Amino acid sequence: MKLYNYLRARILTTLSLCAMLGGMGLGPLYAQWTLYINELPNQTPLADTLFVTSALNDWSPADPAYQLTRFQDGSWSIVIDTLPEKWEFKFTRGSWDRVEGDLLGNALPNHVWDVKKNPGDTLQIKILSWEDMVPLPVLGSLRVVVERIPENTPPASPIFIVGNFNSWHPGDPRYQLTPIGDSLYEAHIPVFHDTLAYKFTRGNWETIEAQKNGRARTNRAYIWQSAGSEEVRVQISAWEDLSGNAMNPLTFIWWLSAILGIFLVLVILTVRKNTFQANYYLSAFIMALAIALTTRAALYDREVFQTLPKLLLIPDFIYFLYAPLFWLYIRTLMKSEGDTAMNRKNGLHFIPFFLHLFSYFSLFLMDQETFISGVVDLSFRPTFWGAGALALVYNTLYWIFIFRYLKGFVPKYEAQDPSQTPFLRTIMYLQGLCLLIGWATVLTGGMDWILGQDLTYMTDRSTDVMWICLSLTVFFLGYYAFAHPEMFQFSPIAIDPQPFETSVIEVEPPKSIRKDDFEEKWKEKVTQYMETEKAYLRPKITLSEVAEAIGTNTHELSRTINEGFEMNFNEFINNYRVKEFQNRLANNEHASHTLLALALEVGFNSKTAFNRAFKKITGQTPREYVKNLSANQDELTY
């Protein structure tokens, strides 16, 4: 820019010299005069065009032949070939309603250029005000001290401060930062508003400052507190054009969880055996999470944000999809497939989602540049905050309802297949944690408005933490899918539709089979399987695995164990384990093993579970049993 100004000055000097030589008879006369505007009112709109009007163009306020040229440093100029001895003129912004004025915004006398009194070929002018704009009173002066700039800032690169004090001119030479030693920079800027909005650039909008991750940052804000002079100290984190790769630990977690989520959906939907409706709801739930995490991670890349900024809206749609999809998964898991009444009403759960989609419709149709400006300037913040607050209320109500629903069902469900309840509980805990973080984010955003403080950094960080919590849901689902693949392979269990009653269900066998024969058939099969295969030695044996092995379903097997053996599945398995433990004691295997080691060998997964089951079944603790078994045996230790 300095080279540009130097060359322009040399060219104008050369033309002036040619004109002087021509006037001395040393060559042809070639006279040109240049009007140069070096300062405009701070509130001059950036998009406006300046014109000079005079008798030369019959005082036309918008003559294209007398339009000024704007330069990168914010100055304006025009070259006039022929002038009278005294030339009167004025500047406009295209009409007489928008003509220049005096310091108070009133009518200003014409400028006069007397060629004889001003023999030079260039006239510099400062426009004081525009008649259509009331001059802004100066409230005071703010000294801005920059304590740190990014390490990759090019050497000797000029840094400018731009804001509502200079109509957002990104390379205004009046507001270039000055080095003051010890890697510090300063600038003094006038304050015209109670709230000063500003940013830093290296001369144009492509080199604007950014967040640490390279994404566009919101405007800085300073609340003016008193008349006179004040000071603020800031740090510049990064430049948008020099931010580099947006991959960081945060986005890496999101990308990984999104990829895992898509893989899980493929695995769940390709399970051929006993695929049921609940799996489809679970797949939709995971896919919605994966899409939201993908777009959120992608938008941390500056190029993606600049090219496809409206992807920013996509993650918000999970706010009104998350709870309904999870509720339908739970409801279908607990109910039989034939519950058509529930199926007909499923669509009602998605009405808030479609209303949310409709409320964002105008944002999708918005011009891209306008949309980016609105995001950066926080113009859409009330919309996003309102949608987030409503979504939190909506999801919290669903969470409470699902929690109460599961509270009534889990005891019965756990009696039939205990492998499922840790999964459901953990998902509910993760969802509850996400809700708590979400409420903290919304309340912080509300305090931002109430207190008039810029808490954007806190809300951004808490939002990121909430999305990390959501990604943990995908990781947990992935773990559970590989550790317990049977979860996706068994048919849903028909349980009493009254979720808040805990009585045992009486299920009648088919009329063609007498009840006693029906029970004895499966009692014999499950007994033979246990005694032959010794499946109880596997610590993670499940109801569904046993049902599949003997050729029935979980419902019939659970009923057989409940009615035929008068115990639940856990008690049934633990009885076999305790008997196996007693047999090994009788064979003197404890001589080379501790009691705990024997307990783990027969299928128990912890000392506590072993002690509790042994006491319930035998009426004695393991130690008491061993002492009674052999009074002369030395005391055993765990």
Side-chain angles (χ1 to χ4, degrees):
M1 187 177 296
K2 291 182 178 180
L3 177 61
Y4 168 79
N5 292 334
Y6 173 78
L7 292 176
R8 189 176 64 171
R10 294 302 93 202
I11 292 171
L12 293 175
T13 301
T14 303
L15 292 176
S16 177
L17 180 60
C18 291
M20 291 174 62
L21 293 174
M24 296 169 61
L26 299 177
L29 180 63
Y30 185 76
Q32 286 187 322
W33 288 265
T34 302
L35 282 176
Y36 182 80
I37 298 177
N38 58 10
E39 188 172 343
L40 289 175
N42 287 283
Q43 68 268 40
T44 304
L46 286 174
D48 283 2
T49 302
L50 303 187
F51 301 87
V52 63
T53 177
S54 68
L56 295 178
N57 66 344
D58 295 326
W59 296 97
S60 173
D63 189 341
Y66 289 87
Q67 177 178 327
L68 278 72
T69 301
R70 180 181 174 182
F71 298 99
Q72 290 184 349
D73 62 357
S75 62
W76 298 74
S77 74
I78 185 173
V79 177
I80 309 294
D81 291 333
T82 305
L83 287 180
E85 288 187 6
K86 285 187 179 182
W87 183 45
E88 295 188 15
F89 61 94
K90 271 189 176 180
F91 295 100
T92 75
R93 298 190 340 270
S95 70
W96 286 111
D97 294 330
R98 299 189 295 175
V99 68
E100 62 176 322
D102 61 15
L103 282 172
L104 300 178
N106 300 319
L108 178 74
N110 295 336
H111 296 286
V112 177
W113 191 353
D114 191 327
V115 177
K116 289 185 177 180
K117 293 181 180 180
N118 299 281
D121 60 351
T122 302
L123 181 63
Q124 295 193 10
I125 295 176
K126 173 182 177 181
I127 295 182
L128 302 176
S129 70
W130 301 106
E131 286 190 9
D132 62 316
M133 295 181 179
V134 178
L136 296 175
V138 178
L139 301 179
S141 175
L142 178 67
R143 179 177 182 249
V144 180
V145 178
V146 177
E147 297 179 323
R148 186 178 68 84
I149 64 174
E151 293 182 359
N152 61 348
T153 303
S157 176
I159 301 176
F160 302 86
I161 185 169
V162 54
N164 56 3
F165 55 87
N166 72 337
S167 300
W168 296 96
H169 289 264
D172 194 332
R174 296 172 297 168
Y175 301 108
Q176 180 177 340
L177 270 62
T178 303
I180 57 176
D182 296 329
S183 301
L184 298 178
Y185 300 81
E186 71 169 359
H188 295 267
I189 56 178
V191 179
F192 299 100
H193 309 274
D194 291 337
T195 301
L196 178 69
Y198 64 99
K199 276 186 177 180
F200 297 96
T201 77
R202 300 199 322 276
N204 53 62
W205 291 117
E206 287 71 31
T207 58
I208 195 75
E209 66 170 320
Q211 300 181 52
K212 288 183 179 179
N213 54 30
R215 290 185 62 186
R217 67 155 294 148
T218 58
N219 293 332
R220 296 177 183 269
Y222 182 81
I223 308 299
W224 189 252
Q225 300 175 354
S226 63
S229 298
E230 296 184 15
E231 179 180 301
V232 61
R233 291 177 173 263
V234 299
Q235 296 182 353
I236 301 176
S237 299
W239 303 110
E240 279 195 14
D241 60 318
L242 301 176
S243 58
N245 194 340
M247 183 64 73
N248 55 58
L250 190 64
T251 55
F252 177 78
I253 293 174
W254 293 344
W255 278 119
L256 188 61
S257 59
I259 294 171
L260 176 61
I262 295 172
F263 176 74
L264 279 176
V265 170
L266 295 177
V267 170
I268 294 172
L269 294 182
T270 53
V271 172
R272 298 298 182 188
K273 189 169 185 178
N274 293 331
T275 300
F276 61 101
Q277 188 178 7
N279 278 351
Y280 296 117
Y281 287 124
L282 181 61
S283 298
F285 172 78
I286 297 173
M287 183 57 72
L289 268 177
I291 292 173
L293 290 167
T294 298
T295 52
R296 187 163 183 86
L299 285 169
Y300 263 69
D301 188 294
R302 173 179 173 269
E303 296 300 326
V304 173
F305 177 73
Q306 295 293 338
T307 306
L308 300 170
K310 293 174 186 176
L311 285 178
L312 185 71
L313 303 174
I314 301 300
D316 282 19
F317 293 128
I318 197 175
Y319 293 162
F320 293 94
L321 278 178
Y322 189 94
L325 287 173
F326 186 70
W327 158 245
L328 291 175
Y329 168 67
I330 295 294
R331 190 80 168 95
T332 309
L333 191 66
M334 298 296 182
K335 293 289 288 183
S336 65
E337 295 280 348
D339 191 356
T340 55
M342 183 191 72
N343 291 336
R344 287 196 300 267
K345 297 178 181 179
N346 286 352
L348 298 177
H349 294 281
F350 299 98
I351 291 177
F353 164 74
F354 288 107
L355 291 176
H356 185 209
L357 183 64
F358 179 76
S359 69
Y360 275 16
F361 190 67
S362 61
L363 297 179
F364 276 110
L365 296 179
M366 189 174 292
D367 173 74
Q368 183 162 301
E369 294 301 324
T370 304
F371 181 82
I372 293 176
S373 297
V375 171
V376 173
D377 296 339
L378 300 180
S379 300
F380 306 140
R381 188 175 185 181
T383 301
F384 295 154
W385 187 89
L390 288 175
L392 271 175
V393 174
Y394 180 73
N395 281 271
T396 301
L397 292 176
Y398 260 93
W399 189 89
I400 294 173
F401 180 74
I402 294 173
F403 181 82
R404 294 184 61 204
Y405 185 84
L406 289 176
K407 186 178 180 180
F409 267 130
V410 161
K412 290 180 260 183
Y413 198 70
E414 189 172 29
Q416 300 188 50
D417 192 351
S419 66
Q420 300 298 313
T421 51
F423 163 75
L424 297 175
R425 286 195 183 100
T426 304
I427 291 293
M428 289 298 293
Y429 292 152
L430 286 173
Q431 291 179 354
L433 180 61
C434 290
L435 288 172
L436 288 176
I437 298 171
W439 277 112
T441 303
V442 168
L443 292 175
T444 302
M447 293 300 293
D448 188 333
W449 290 347
I450 296 173
L451 300 177
Q453 300 293 325
D454 184 10
L455 302 178
T456 305
Y457 178 82
M458 294 179 60
T459 57
D460 286 348
R461 297 293 77 77
S462 59
T463 301
D464 288 342
V465 172
M466 183 185 71
W467 281 98
I468 289 177
C469 184
L470 288 173
S471 67
L472 291 178
T473 302
V474 179
F475 283 116
F476 175 75
L477 287 170
Y479 158 76
Y480 211 85
F482 290 105
H484 302 278
E486 70 277 359
M487 182 184 71
F488 307 112
Q489 299 177 5
F490 66 91
S491 299
I493 302 172
I495 302 180
D496 187 355
Q498 301 299 324
F500 306 113
E501 297 179 6
T502 58
S503 58
V504 178
I505 305 166
E506 296 289 338
V507 180
E508 294 294 332
K511 293 182 179 180
S512 59
I513 303 176
R514 291 190 306 108
K515 183 175 181 180
D516 293 341
D517 294 340
F518 188 82
E519 289 179 356
E520 289 300 324
K521 171 185 175 181
W522 296 116
K523 282 178 64 177
E524 181 180 346
K525 284 194 173 186
V526 71
T527 301
Q528 181 182 2
Y529 175 71
M530 285 293 165
E531 294 178 352
T532 303
E533 301 296 331
K534 293 191 174 182
Y536 53 83
L537 296 179
R538 301 200 298 270
K540 294 185 178 180
I541 183 68
T542 64
L543 183 72
S544 58
E545 291 176 354
V546 178
E548 182 179 355
I550 66 175
T552 185
N553 58 48
T554 54
H555 171 62
E556 296 300 342
L557 176 59
S558 177
R559 188 188 65 81
T560 298
I561 294 174
N562 289 340
E563 297 180 3
F565 296 96
E566 296 184 351
M567 61 184 71
N568 61 36
F569 180 73
N570 273 345
E571 295 169 340
F572 178 72
I573 294 296
N574 286 339
N575 265 281
Y576 275 99
R577 289 170 176 167
V578 170
K579 288 179 181 178
E580 181 70 18
F581 179 84
Q582 291 172 325
N583 290 336
R584 296 192 181 194
L585 283 179
N587 293 332
N588 204 31
E589 292 187 25
H590 63 279
S592 58
H593 294 78
T594 64
L595 296 185
L596 178 58
L598 282 180
L600 296 178
E601 286 184 0
V602 300
F604 289 102
N605 56 16
S606 71
K607 176 181 175 180
T608 302
F610 166 61
N611 286 338
R612 183 171 58 245
F614 195 93
K615 174 75 173 179
K616 182 176 181 180
I617 293 170
T618 67
Q620 304 175 60
T621 67
R623 289 180 182 277
E624 293 171 346
Y625 180 83
V626 171
K627 288 181 180 180
N628 293 334
L629 183 67
S630 177
N632 298 324
Q633 183 178 3
D634 294 333
E635 187 177 354
L636 299 175
T637 58
Y638 286 98

